[in-house]
Amino acid sequence: MKFIGTVNKSPAFGTFKRITRAICPVCLAAVLAAASAGCGGSRKSPLDPEKPVSLTVWHYYNGSQQAAFDALVETFNDTVGQEQGIYVESYSQGSVSDLESAVRDAINGKVGSSAIPNIFSSYADTAYEVEQAGALANLSDYLSQEELADYVDSYIEEGRIAADGSLRIFPTAKSTEIMMLNKTDWEPFAQACGLSLESLKTIEGVAAAAKTYYEWTDSLTPDVPEDGKSFYGRDAVANYFIIGMQQLGVELFQVENGEMTLNLPEEALRRIWENYYVPMVKGYFGAYGSFRSDDVKTGDILAYTGSTSSAMYFPNQVELDDGSHPIDYIVMQAPIFEGGQHYAVQQGAGMVVTKSDEAHEYASVEFLKWITQAENNLRFGSVSGYLPVQKAANSIEKLDQVIAGQGLEVAPKTYDCLTTIFSEMEDMTLYTNKSFKNGSAARKVLEYHLADRAAADRAAVLEAIAQGAGLEEAAAPYVTDSAFDAWYEDFCAALHAAADQ
């Protein structure tokens, strides 16, 4: 691993293509290489409908997402699966962490563990670990160049985690981030303080609006000092680091030929710190429940940045100690840094196929190709809030066509979330860093290091306020240049330690 403390200015640095553009020559070469290794379109089926192959799929879907996925599996079994001789059984393992633990136990042959499934949902970091153990099938052997071209290019590239660039992760459902706002309680505040939704398009604008909201709510109870309320929160602080740095022209984890270089320029990280840690310490931002949608429900914040798949959890009412009231919502693009490039996070697990025999691997890919066809993928996405993975499916027109054609009932919040992203897809660049050794450990540093420090220091500020200090006096020791310098040094050390372990 290398470390660079200033912005990388090399010509190749930060070169990413919008998802609607043609793939770059390097990517095309990789696709051609994969195609020459084996084309699914020309491979003779090893299946026999008279002797069906049984497949086991593990995933982490629950509730309505699980019901939608199970319905797809049932439809497949009754149609294409029956014709080809494939029978699929799907099992939810609970949460993502539960699924990862079950997979590791199965691969390691832990006593009492289940047999390793033929297919399982996996994020890139986990898939990379399993690939290093030699347990994943080469999906390039079963997909033609024409079939690969149907999928969003960046989704396919994310799945090329093998040393030779061949495909190991099949994209099945993706997501990005949006901003959701409590419209009902935003409007009187915005009117009183002369704000508009335009002011929420940048991260700096959100921080400024949050400061104004804290001061405005504090002024509503003049007999109670410093009881202002938080305006904004965010899920996935690691995304804030990775995408925020990308917007500022810095690829935080730069991976080339399997080697990861850390780019940690002080100036860019200062902007990250100033627009998350400082508002958190001063109470302008907040994080109280398990997720920020929980905090909207309890009235602790008005807005948050989270996954498109979180739209269904945005509450219909705010529940306070002394009563509740219904709220409406607004879906917006996630804010970006002022003057920054329009990058948005590309996230969401794909599915991997475990090494077995040709019949089971072939059958697994046939199932994955079927569930990612536009009509099937949008059927799942209209319930889950996940984005479809084929290029032709990423449009409002196609979504409306599938909803009408299949008579689907789609929650307005989920529909608005998907259409907001579809309408902006031409102008944004989806990004996810390439996988690397110890990537999960490094991401945990991004997720918790600054957030945990902000929470601890906010508690100290509240204690000082309780002792009679004003907000600015109480927060002063934590927002100085020296405070940033101390955090920066500690953060860099922690990230190095995680990446090198």
Side-chain angles (χ1 to χ4, degrees):
M1 182 197 71
K2 298 178 181 177
F3 164 64
I4 298 177
T6 56
V7 178
N8 191 319
K9 297 294 186 179
S10 65
F13 182 76
T15 304
F16 304 96
K17 302 296 183 183
R18 288 192 174 95
I19 63 173
T20 53
R21 294 180 181 176
I23 54 179
C24 63
V26 173
C27 301
L28 179 59
V31 171
L32 291 173
S36 65
C39 297
S42 59
R43 179 183 285 269
K44 182 179 179 180
S45 172
L47 304 178
D48 181 356
E50 299 301 318
K51 299 177 181 178
V53 168
S54 292
L55 302 177
T56 301
V57 180
W58 286 0
H59 58 77
Y60 57 86
Y61 304 134
N62 292 283
S64 59
Q65 293 180 351
Q66 181 179 358
F69 186 78
D70 287 346
L72 282 174
V73 170
E74 183 177 355
T75 300
F76 174 84
N77 286 336
D78 291 342
T79 56
V80 175
Q82 189 174 70
E83 295 168 4
Q84 296 192 26
I86 307 170
Y87 182 76
V88 179
E89 293 181 289
S90 64
Y91 300 92
S92 174
Q93 297 298 315
S95 67
V96 173
S97 59
D98 291 335
L99 171 60
E100 291 174 348
S101 295
V103 167
R104 290 190 178 97
D105 288 348
I107 290 174
N108 295 326
K110 185 176 179 179
V111 176
S113 65
S114 301
I116 188 169
N118 302 99
I119 305 170
F120 64 88
S121 299
S122 181
Y123 285 91
D125 287 341
T126 300
Y128 184 81
E129 293 178 22
V130 180
E131 165 61 19
Q132 296 303 296
L136 297 186
N138 181 357
L139 304 182
S140 295
D141 288 342
Y142 301 96
L143 292 159
S144 69
Q145 180 182 345
E146 290 75 18
E147 287 171 326
L148 288 170
D150 289 337
Y151 293 84
V152 173
D153 301 327
S154 62
Y155 297 168
I156 292 295
E157 290 310 305
E158 182 182 355
R160 295 187 182 280
I161 60 173
D164 63 357
S166 55
L167 189 69
R168 293 295 189 275
I169 308 173
F170 201 113
T172 50
K174 290 295 181 181
S175 64
T176 187
E177 289 184 329
I178 41 83
M179 183 176 185
M180 294 200 71
L181 174 67
N182 171 347
K183 178 183 178 183
T184 303
D185 293 324
W186 155 263
E187 289 181 338
F189 159 60
Q191 183 176 4
C193 298
L195 297 177
S196 68
L197 294 177
E198 188 72 21
S199 63
L200 303 181
K201 289 188 174 182
T202 66
I203 290 172
E204 290 87 349
V206 170
K211 179 178 185 294
T212 302
Y213 182 71
Y214 178 93
E215 294 170 347
W216 180 70
T217 52
D218 182 39
S219 71
L220 299 179
T221 53
D223 56 327
V224 183
E226 302 299 357
D227 67 336
K229 300 184 68 173
S230 303
F231 174 76
Y232 170 85
R234 72 148 25 250
D235 291 324
V237 178
N239 287 349
Y240 171 65
F241 271 94
I242 294 170
I243 298 304
M245 295 287 276
Q246 197 72 25
Q247 291 169 359
L248 296 174
V250 182
E251 188 175 24
L252 182 58
F253 300 126
Q254 187 178 4
V255 183
E256 294 182 3
N257 300 319
E259 183 178 6
M260 190 273 289
T261 299
L262 274 176
N263 292 300
L264 300 170
E266 185 174 335
E267 181 179 355
L269 282 166
R270 179 67 182 249
R271 289 184 69 177
I272 295 285
W273 183 82
E274 286 179 340
N275 289 284
Y276 179 81
Y277 170 85
V278 173
M280 285 289 289
V281 167
K282 291 189 173 184
Y284 307 156
F285 292 179
Y288 305 98
S290 298
F291 300 99
R292 303 296 74 78
S293 55
D294 299 333
D295 298 339
V296 174
K297 185 174 183 178
T298 55
D300 289 311
I301 61 175
L302 292 193
Y304 75 89
T305 295
S307 170
T308 52
S309 61
S310 75
M312 67 181 72
Y313 300 108
F314 192 88
N316 294 319
Q317 62 181 20
V318 169
E319 299 176 359
L320 305 173
D321 292 337
D322 57 353
S324 63
H325 63 273
I327 59 172
D328 200 355
Y329 65 91
I330 297 172
V331 179
M332 302 175 62
Q333 284 188 56
I336 67 172
F337 275 103
E338 186 176 329
Q341 302 172 64
H342 194 171
Y343 282 96
V345 67
Q346 173 180 304
Q347 61 186 12
M351 288 196 172
V352 298
V353 176
T354 54
K355 277 186 179 179
S356 54
D357 55 70
E358 183 185 19
H360 283 84
E361 291 180 6
Y362 181 95
S364 296
V365 174
E366 288 300 295
F367 170 68
L368 294 176
K369 288 193 294 187
W370 184 86
I371 65 169
T372 54
Q373 290 175 5
E375 291 76 11
N376 301 324
N377 218 194
L378 280 168
R379 176 179 163 188
F380 178 67
S382 65
V383 172
S384 65
Y386 283 109
L387 304 174
V389 294
Q390 290 197 350
K391 296 171 184 173
N394 280 275
S395 72
I396 298 174
E397 292 74 18
K398 187 64 177 180
L399 175 63
D400 289 342
Q401 178 187 333
V402 169
I403 291 172
Q406 299 189 23
L408 302 177
E409 293 185 9
V410 181
K413 280 178 272 194
T414 301
Y415 180 84
D416 291 344
C417 185
L418 291 174
T419 55
T420 295
I421 297 301
F422 290 160
S423 65
E424 299 295 337
M425 210 162 248
E426 289 283 349
D427 299 319
M428 70 171 65
T429 303
L430 295 179
Y431 172 80
T432 185
N433 61 271
K434 294 180 181 178
S435 300
F436 59 92
K437 183 180 179 182
N438 299 326
S440 294
R443 185 178 177 89
K444 285 182 180 178
V445 173
L446 301 184
E447 187 67 35
Y448 299 110
H449 190 276
L450 185 59
D452 286 351
R453 178 165 297 194
D457 292 346
R458 175 59 182 166
V461 169
L462 288 174
E463 178 62 27
I465 290 174
Q467 298 298 320
L471 174 61
E472 293 304 317
E473 178 187 359
Y478 305 100
V479 297
T480 62
D481 291 341
S482 60
F484 166 75
D485 293 340
W487 169 78
Y488 175 74
E489 182 177 349
D490 192 28
F491 172 73
C492 291
L495 201 52
H496 276 288
D500 289 336
Q501 68 181 9

